């Protein structure tokens, strides 16, 4: 084939690589750019970052015409047409994140030699915004219509090619010449129409899916078969059969109450089941079908598609309902399991790249489907010490039982006080005047007395009996602590004497071979001023210490379990640094872990076992945080009454990285020697990771369906639509409807045929209508200053979840306006979600010099503002009342051009 015009491609994701490879196949010299150097290096070696039929052959066949780079200068040299194929993931407001597109435009600003050809999926109006920003740059909208699995064939045999450009722009002709040999119909149009063709096509396909789901619901009512109905409809050429398969819609998809998730409630991370979360978030345990709550200060560990790691995301709604129907247990290759309702949607890939292909219902999953598994660390911290006073302040140890030893200097200072002061401090003692002598003799006083005396407890020791074990008021939380904590999780328990109230922390080790571990525990507590003793039992060497305060803090505040069956990752561990988590896991693994050769070597596997379901879940998650994907097996040993969990770290690279904390120092030489004998690096099977970060992917190996009658749970995560569930498996949220729709449906006894999607869409369109009202008075919003009065979801709260201001600010900025805002209380939370919005200290400061103002939240103080003065302070006094909160006549009298929602623009003439 003869050589054709050289081109450039920006972004070597799925769309970008297909575009680059196919144009090279057609004869163009192609340079493709990506910021991930490891991806570029791999492609230079001929390795594709994902699998697509025909792609490997294209890369091999076109090595001379296909070049990969991370340097913008190499891309620009000698190439007029630059195809933009970067990602545009959703933001908090649901709008597309155009930051990557903006970066490309910035790199081309001022260029008259290049034409930007937009293949990324962008909102309508993006092209116009780019032309305003870079008027000298030629711009062509050429949306892609490729499907995963047939992308090469779709590109080489298109049914149509859409090319949108401004009149007189010659770049469109060059793009058309590139596509002409493919034979598809060329649709030449303007930029806005080309953008709308892409969006309208996607929207219509989604509409067909929603329609057939509604038909499916009606079929259930009348006893019809939706598959037959769809087949009969599809034979009508005006309708067609594509996308007429009933599936994901507004069903009641939910999680089993036993499924787990990592949450942060009031700033404290913890691993909980849905059942536990319901109570912790304030839900009524006796709640009936359809109960919903809006939890305060609740975040869940979640993954935003397209981002390299999970992050904390706010939960807006949590629900519980009674369910009768089928539950599906989904099992994966690496041993992760999750149980959900049959209609629960899963994020699915094909295991060939890191791209999400579609969403599949639990009942429809097959062994061809791959599910994402979270890899990435919860943000950690490193406090030097941690106070034990929480066990007392929270009432776990009654304050009247607590004794304090503040030190000789504090006792001497107390004795020097006047008799009147001492009588007041010891007023609750039966002999106040003689009490000081007891305190001097023993060096001990009650905590209540120390508080009255205002004695510092910084260097004090605490106990619950004069002759009991005393401990410091705070302990070091360094890596040594977390090693000891890990050994406790593996080998420890707490014994409680109900009669005396005595509590004893114990670690049990092998009687002969683990002296070093016993001594390690004793040394740590000795540094804390706590006496820990070693005693020999018939079958173990036991380290123990008696302290009710420390024991209550250990369980109630830190979150450790009492016995082996109830052991878990303590709440305190989730907020620690990666180094401390490694120390913690090293203790757990040394207590209950081992290493062995696979088939007599040289491959090595690191294995750990537990009978605690919760602990197994937590350890698998924490390993994932540190970048390790473990396999998970379950089974019963001989005469066991409880299922045992075995977690395994395998693969030469993973084992080598884990040696320094999962293998005891005495065994490390043996492991290194075994790995060194491997002829090649063996990778673990069962999961895959891809270039550019993001989750690992595990294959579905089977599903089991059972009838159920139980309570199930759902939640809504507006910012990401996902949660990191049991074992770190990333799952789509199961709450696609808004709260009002859920409550209404819960009370319905019959089925009402209606597209619930339309209800939500109308709500979103209403926000966008405000932009139209501004444009009616201001014309273009480019360069205009718009003030938002109120940012929170509603008055008297700082809640920003699903606040209208998020959408309005994004839309205004997308139209080229500068946004300034004021809210009485939501400023701090708004600053996190709206970083590009200037926040004012008052309503007057916000509207000063503004071209228009929008009342977003009906705060009472806005009713009492001096509106005539505000109108004078504005550049043009245009006011849109988004809540119909203000009196129209009063606002017009104050000098405003006033618009509201659904009310006449002006009072009718009398």
């Amino acid at each position: 084939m003869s050589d054709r015009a050289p081109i450039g491609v920006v972004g070597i994701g799925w769309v970008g690589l297909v575009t680059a490879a196919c144009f090279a196949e057609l004869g163009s010299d192609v340079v493709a750019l990506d910021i991930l150097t490891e991806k570029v290096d791999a492609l230079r070696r001929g390795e594709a970052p994902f699998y697509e039929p025909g792609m490997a052959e294209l890369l091999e066949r076109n090595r001379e015409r296909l070049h990969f780079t991370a340097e913008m200068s190499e891309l620009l040299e000698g190439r007029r047409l630059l195809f933009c194929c970067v990602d545009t993931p959703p933001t908090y407001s649901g709008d597309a994140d155009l930051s990557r597109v903006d970066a490309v435009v910035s790199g081309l600003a001022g260029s008259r030699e290049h034409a930007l050809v937009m293949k990324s999926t962008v909102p309508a109006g993006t092209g116009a915004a780019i032309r305003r920003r870079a008027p000298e740059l030629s711009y062509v909208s050429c949306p892609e219509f490729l499907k995963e699995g047939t992308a090469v064939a779709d590109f080489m045999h298109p049914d149509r090619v859409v090319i949108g450009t401004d009149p007189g722009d010659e770049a469109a002709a060059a793009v058309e010449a590139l596509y002409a040999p493919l034979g598809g119909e060329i649709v030449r149009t303007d930029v806005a129409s080309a953008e709308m063709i892409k969006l309208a096509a996607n929207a219509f396909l989604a509409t067909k899916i929603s329609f057939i789901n509604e038909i499916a619901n009606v079929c259930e009512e009348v006893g019809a078969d939706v598959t037959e109905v769809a087949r009969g409809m599809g034979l009508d050429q005006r309708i067609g059969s594509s996308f007429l398969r009933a599936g994901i819609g507004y069903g009641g998809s939910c999680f089993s109450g036993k499924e787990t998730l990592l949450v942060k409630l009031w700033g404290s991370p913890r691993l909980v089941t849905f059942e536990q979360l319901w109570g912790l978030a304030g839900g009524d345990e006796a709640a009936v079908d359809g109960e919903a709550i809006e939890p305060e200060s609740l975040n869940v560990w979640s993954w935003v598609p397209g981002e390299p790691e999970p992050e904390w995301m706010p939960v807006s709604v949590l629900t519980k309902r009674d369910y009768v129907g089928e539950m599906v247990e989904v099992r994966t290759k690496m041993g992760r399991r999750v149980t959900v309702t049959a209609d629960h949607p899963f994020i699915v890939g094909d295991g060939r790249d890191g791209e999400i292909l579609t969403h599949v219902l639990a009942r429809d999953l097959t062994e061809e489907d791959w599910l994402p598994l979270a890899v990435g660390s919860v943000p950690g911290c490193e406090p030097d010490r941690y106070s034990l006073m929480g066990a007392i302040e929270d009432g776990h140890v009654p304050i009247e039982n607590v004794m304090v030893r503040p030190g000789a200097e504090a006792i001497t200072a107390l004795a020097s006080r006047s008799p009147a002061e001492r009588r007041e401090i010891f007023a609750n003692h039966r002999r106040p005047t003689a009490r000081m002598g007891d305190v001097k003799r023993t060096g001990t006083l009650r905590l209540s007395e120390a508080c009255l005396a205002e004695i510092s407890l910084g260097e004090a020791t605490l106990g619950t009996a004069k002759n009991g074990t005393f401990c410091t008021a705070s302990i070091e939380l360094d890596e040594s602590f977390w090693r000891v904590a890990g050994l406790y999780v593996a080998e420890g328990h707490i014994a409680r004497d109900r009669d005396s109230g005595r509590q004893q922390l114990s670690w049990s080790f092998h009687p002969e071979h683990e002296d070093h571990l016993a001594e390690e525990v004793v040394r740590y507590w000795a540094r804390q001023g706590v006496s820990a003793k070693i005693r020999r039992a018939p079958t173990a060497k036991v380290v123990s210490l008696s302290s009710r305060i420390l024991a209550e803090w250990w369980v109630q505040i830190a979150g450790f379990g009492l016995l082996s069956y109830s052991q878990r990752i303590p709440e305190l561990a989730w907020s620690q640094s990666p180094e401390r988590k490694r120390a913690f896991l090293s203790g757990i693994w040394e207590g209950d872990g081992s290493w062995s050769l696979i088939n007599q070597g040289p491959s090595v596997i690191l294995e750990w076992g537990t009978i605690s379901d919760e602990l197994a879940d937590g350890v698998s998650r924490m390993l994932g945080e540190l970048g390790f994907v473990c396999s998970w097996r379950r089974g019963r040993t001989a005469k066991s009454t409880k299922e045992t969990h075995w977690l395994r770290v395998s693969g030469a690279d993973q084992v080598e990285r884990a040696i320094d904390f999962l293998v005891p120092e005495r065994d490390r030489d043996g492991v290194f020697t075994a790995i060194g004998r491997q002829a090649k690096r063996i990778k673990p099977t069962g999961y895959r990771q891809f270039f550019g970060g993001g989750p690992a992917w595990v294959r579905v190996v089977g599903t089991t369906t059972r009838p159920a009658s139980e309570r199930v749970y759902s939640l809504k995560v507006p910012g990401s639509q996902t949660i990191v569930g049991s074992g770190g498996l990333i799952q789509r949220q199961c709450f696609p409807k808004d709260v009002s729709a859920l409550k209404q449906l819960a009370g319905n006894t019959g089925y009402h045929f209606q597209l619930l999607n339309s209800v939500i869409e109308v709500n979103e369109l209403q926000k966008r209508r405000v932009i139209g009202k501004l444009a009616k008075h201001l014309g273009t919003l480019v360069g205009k200053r718009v003030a938002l009065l109120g940012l929170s979801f509603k008055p008297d709260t700082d809640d920003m979840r699903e606040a209208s201001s998020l959408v309005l600010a994004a839309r205004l900025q997308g139209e080229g306006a500068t946004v300034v805002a004021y809210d009485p209380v939501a400023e701090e939370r708004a600053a996190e979600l709206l970083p590009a919005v200037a926040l004012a200290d008052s309503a007057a400061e916000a509207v000063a010099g503004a071209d228009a103002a929008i009342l977003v939240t009906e705060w009472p103080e806005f009713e009492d503002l001096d509106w005539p003065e505000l109108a004078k302070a504005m550049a043009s006094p245009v006011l849109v009342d988004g809540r119909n909160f203000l009196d129209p006549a009063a606002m017009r009298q104050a000098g405003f051009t006033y618009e509201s929602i659904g009310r006449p623009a002006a009072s009718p003439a009398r």
Side-chain angles (χ1 to χ4, degrees):
M1 183 176 291
S2 60
D3 288 343
R4 291 152 52 84
I7 66 167
V9 175
V10 186
I12 320 178
W14 179 72
V15 173
L17 188 57
V18 171
T19 300
C22 287
F23 275 134
E25 178 75 2
L26 292 173
S28 291
D29 183 80
V30 181
V31 172
L33 175 143
D34 200 281
I35 60 174
L36 297 176
T37 56
E38 61 269 28
K39 180 189 292 187
V40 171
D41 291 341
L43 284 165
R44 286 172 174 171
R45 296 192 299 268
E47 302 171 8
F50 56 82
Y51 175 79
E52 179 67 33
M55 177 56 66
E57 292 79 2
L58 285 181
L59 293 178
E60 178 62 29
R61 196 160 52 238
N62 295 285
R63 279 181 174 270
E64 294 184 1
R65 284 196 292 261
L66 192 53
H67 317 282
F68 300 99
T69 183
E71 300 296 331
M72 191 70 170
S73 57
E74 186 176 349
L75 179 81
L76 299 179
E77 185 177 354
R79 285 165 177 79
R80 172 165 169 72
L81 297 181
L82 304 178
F83 287 77
C84 181
C85 303
V86 297
D87 192 21
T88 55
T91 64
Y92 278 97
S93 66
D95 294 284
D97 179 359
L98 299 179
S99 59
R100 297 171 177 84
V101 172
D102 291 340
V104 175
V105 175
S106 296
L108 298 176
S111 172
R112 297 181 181 277
E113 302 174 359
H114 299 94
L116 184 63
V117 184
M118 185 61 62
K119 296 201 75 67
S120 299
T121 300
V122 296
T126 300
I130 290 174
R131 290 305 304 272
R132 291 194 299 268
R133 178 179 171 184
E136 68 287 343
L137 181 66
S138 291
Y139 181 86
V140 178
S141 176
C142 184
E144 57 86 12
F145 300 96
L146 309 178
K147 300 183 294 295
E148 293 91 342
T150 61
V152 173
D154 290 344
F155 189 102
M156 303 302 286
H157 305 283
D159 48 11
R160 84 285 201 194
V161 176
V162 176
I163 301 175
T165 189
D166 291 335
D169 195 324
E170 298 178 356
V175 175
E176 182 174 348
L178 285 174
Y179 279 100
L182 302 179
E185 182 172 348
I186 302 294
V187 180
R188 289 286 295 268
T189 184
D190 58 274
V191 171
S193 296
E195 293 170 340
M196 278 303 303
I197 288 172
K198 168 68 174 179
L199 300 175
N202 288 348
F204 184 69
L205 296 178
T207 301
K208 291 184 73 174
I209 294 171
S210 295
F211 180 82
I212 199 62
N213 285 335
E214 294 280 27
I215 292 296
N217 292 330
V218 177
C219 286
E220 290 181 3
E221 297 293 320
V222 301
D225 184 339
V226 70
T227 59
E228 294 299 308
V229 173
R231 185 167 67 91
M233 291 173 58
L235 293 175
D236 189 326
Q237 293 184 359
R238 297 170 300 174
I239 298 174
S241 61
S242 298
F243 292 87
L244 282 181
R245 180 188 177 192
I248 302 170
Y250 283 92
S253 58
C254 289
F255 292 95
S256 162
K258 304 298 183 184
E259 294 303 317
T260 65
L261 62 169
L262 187 62
V263 302
K264 186 165 64 173
L265 186 60
W266 297 107
S268 177
R270 61 180 68 189
L271 182 63
V272 295
T273 65
F274 274 94
E275 289 176 345
Q276 294 167 335
L277 179 60
W278 180 260
L280 291 170
D284 182 0
E285 292 301 324
V288 296
D289 186 21
E291 183 72 13
I293 59 174
E294 300 180 47
E296 296 185 58
S297 193
L298 175 63
N299 289 265
V300 65
W301 194 233
S302 173
W303 177 61
V304 178
E307 293 299 316
E309 292 189 348
E311 59 187 283
W312 291 114
M313 300 296 293
V315 176
S316 61
V317 183
L318 181 65
T319 75
K320 177 171 73 171
R321 68 187 181 92
D322 293 322
Y323 173 75
V324 178
E326 292 183 337
M327 298 292 288
V328 177
E329 181 189 67
V330 179
R331 304 183 303 280
T332 71
K333 177 68 174 177
M334 296 298 286
R336 271 58 172 186
R337 299 178 184 177
V338 61
T339 300
V340 294
T341 55
D343 59 349
H344 182 83
F346 279 80
I347 298 170
V348 169
D350 60 8
R352 297 167 180 168
D353 55 36
E355 299 291 329
I356 295 173
L357 299 186
T358 186
H359 299 92
V360 177
L361 300 188
R363 59 173 170 250
D364 296 329
L365 288 169
T366 72
E367 294 185 8
E368 299 297 318
D369 296 321
W370 290 67
L371 309 181
L373 187 67
V375 178
S377 183
V378 177
C381 58
E382 294 189 352
D384 293 331
R385 303 187 69 84
Y386 205 100
S387 173
L388 302 183
M389 291 297 293
I392 301 168
E393 294 167 352
D394 288 357
H396 303 298
V397 180
I399 189 171
E400 62 270 17
N401 294 347
V402 180
M403 311 299 292
V404 179
R405 289 177 179 168
E409 291 184 5
I411 297 297
T412 301
L414 178 60
S416 67
R417 297 192 185 186
S418 68
E421 287 182 288
R422 296 202 302 269
R423 280 196 299 272
E424 185 176 348
I425 293 169
F426 300 127
N428 292 329
H429 196 274
R430 58 189 177 87
R431 294 188 303 156
T433 56
R435 174 61 174 153
M436 190 67 232
D438 294 337
V439 172
K440 290 173 66 176
R441 183 176 62 257
T442 63
T444 305
L445 68 161
R446 297 188 183 278
L447 176 60
S448 56
E449 296 168 342
C451 292
L452 287 172
E454 298 182 347
I455 294 175
S456 172
L457 301 179
E459 302 297 326
T461 58
L462 307 175
T464 54
K466 294 180 183 179
N467 59 350
T469 300
F470 276 66
C471 58
T472 55
S474 65
I475 58 176
E476 290 181 280
L477 246 67
D478 55 8
E479 292 181 28
S480 296
F481 168 85
W482 287 107
R483 268 278 299 179
V484 169
L487 290 170
Y488 172 84
V489 169
E491 308 283 8
H493 69 279
I494 291 180
R496 289 176 168 173
D497 188 318
R498 293 184 179 179
D499 295 331
S500 66
R502 182 184 182 189
Q503 299 190 39
Q504 189 175 70
L505 275 77
S506 297
W507 287 254
S508 299
F509 299 109
H510 191 278
E512 298 175 1
H513 304 311
E514 294 184 333
D515 288 359
H516 61 292
L517 297 181
E519 292 169 359
E520 180 180 355
V521 174
V522 170
R523 283 196 303 271
Y524 170 78
W525 289 116
R527 291 198 301 273
Q528 311 310 308
V530 179
S531 175
K533 300 178 180 179
I534 299 177
R535 62 180 174 86
R536 289 189 177 274
T539 59
K541 179 172 287 188
V542 181
V543 179
S544 61
L545 59 92
S546 296
S547 170
R548 183 179 178 185
I549 294 173
L550 184 55
E552 290 290 357
W553 177 86
W554 195 260
V555 175
Q556 304 294 345
I557 306 301
F560 290 92
L562 285 171
L563 304 169
S564 58
Y565 285 92
S566 61
Q567 289 292 8
R568 59 183 181 269
I569 300 292
E571 283 86 350
L572 197 60
W574 295 110
S575 59
Q576 301 302 307
S577 66
E579 292 75 19
R580 293 184 178 183
K581 290 174 181 175
R582 290 167 74 94
F584 177 57
L585 290 176
S586 75
I588 291 178
W589 218 274
E590 184 151 6
D592 285 326
S594 64
W595 70 276
S596 59
L597 301 176
I598 302 175
N599 297 326
Q600 287 77 50
S603 297
V604 174
I605 191 169
L606 310 181
E607 187 172 53
W608 170 83
T610 180
I611 55 176
S612 169
D613 301 344
E614 189 173 357
L615 182 58
D617 186 22
V619 170
S620 70
R621 285 172 176 267
M622 191 167 282
L623 284 169
E625 286 186 29
L626 298 174
F628 297 89
V629 180
C630 66
S631 63
W632 187 343
R633 295 192 304 113
R634 300 164 177 83
R636 292 184 184 272
T637 57
K639 299 181 180 180
S640 173
T641 59
K642 182 74 172 62
E643 187 176 56
T644 300
H645 305 266
W646 288 278
L647 302 186
R648 290 178 167 181
V649 175
S650 60
D653 290 336
Q654 286 206 132
V655 170
E656 194 169 64
R657 288 190 293 116
I659 285 176
D660 67 338
F661 75 103
L662 293 188
V663 178
E665 188 172 355
R666 63 184 180 276
D667 294 335
R668 290 174 187 171
D669 287 344
V671 176
F672 276 121
T673 299
I675 293 177
R677 296 201 308 269
Q678 293 184 353
K680 62 179 181 178
R681 308 290 283 184
I682 305 298
K683 294 183 178 180
T685 61
Y687 80 94
R688 295 174 182 173
Q689 288 182 279
F690 302 98
F691 295 107
W697 290 79
V698 293
R699 184 170 60 83
V700 174
V701 297
T703 60
T704 302
T705 303
R706 61 173 173 83
S709 177
E710 60 187 75
R711 285 185 170 175
V712 292
Y713 299 78
S714 64
L715 47 67
K716 186 174 185 180
V717 189
S720 64
Q721 323 301 326
T722 72
I723 68 165
V724 177
S726 297
L729 200 63
I730 297 173
Q731 299 163 65
R732 185 172 171 82
Q733 72 171 29
C734 48
F735 199 89
K737 44 191 168 298
D738 65 341
V739 182
S740 59
L742 173 68
K743 292 182 176 178
Q744 179 181 352
L745 289 175
N748 290 341
T749 56
Y751 176 77
H752 297 275
F753 188 98
Q754 56 183 330
L755 286 173
L756 297 180
N757 234 351
S758 298
V759 176
I760 298 174
E761 184 64 15
V762 167
N763 180 56
E764 294 302 311
L765 287 175
Q766 197 69 8
K767 300 167 189 173
R768 287 153 176 77
R769 284 175 61 84
V770 172
I771 308 299
K773 291 177 180 291
L774 292 181
K776 181 174 70 173
H777 297 287
L778 301 179
T780 178
L781 298 182
V782 176
K784 297 296 193 298
R785 178 184 173 92
V786 179
L788 301 182
L789 298 180
L791 293 169
S792 60
F793 172 69
K794 58 183 179 181
D796 298 319
T797 179
D798 63 349
D799 191 353
M800 289 293 297
R801 293 171 295 184
E802 298 191 26
S804 298
S805 59
L806 299 177
V807 175
L808 286 173
R811 287 294 173 184
L812 288 167
Q813 291 167 339
E815 293 290 329
T818 299
V819 181
V820 61
Y822 166 71
D823 190 284
V825 300
E827 178 179 352
E828 183 175 347
R829 294 195 177 189
E832 299 175 0
L833 301 176
L834 298 170
V837 173
L839 298 178
D841 292 330
S842 66
E845 180 182 335
V847 303
D851 297 285
I854 305 172
L855 194 149
V856 182
T857 311
E858 61 275 31
W859 284 96
E861 72 176 64
F862 292 160
E863 193 172 21
D864 300 325
L865 293 174
D866 189 343
W867 288 104
E869 289 299 316
L870 295 183
K872 294 176 184 178
M874 296 178 66
S876 59
V878 175
L879 174 63
V880 177
D881 184 354
R883 297 296 181 182
N884 289 351
F885 180 62
L886 304 171
D887 180 73
M891 292 301 103
R892 294 185 182 108
Q893 187 175 359
F896 284 97
T897 300
Y898 177 81
E899 289 267 0
S900 55
I901 307 299
R903 295 191 288 189
S907 300
R910 294 186 181 276

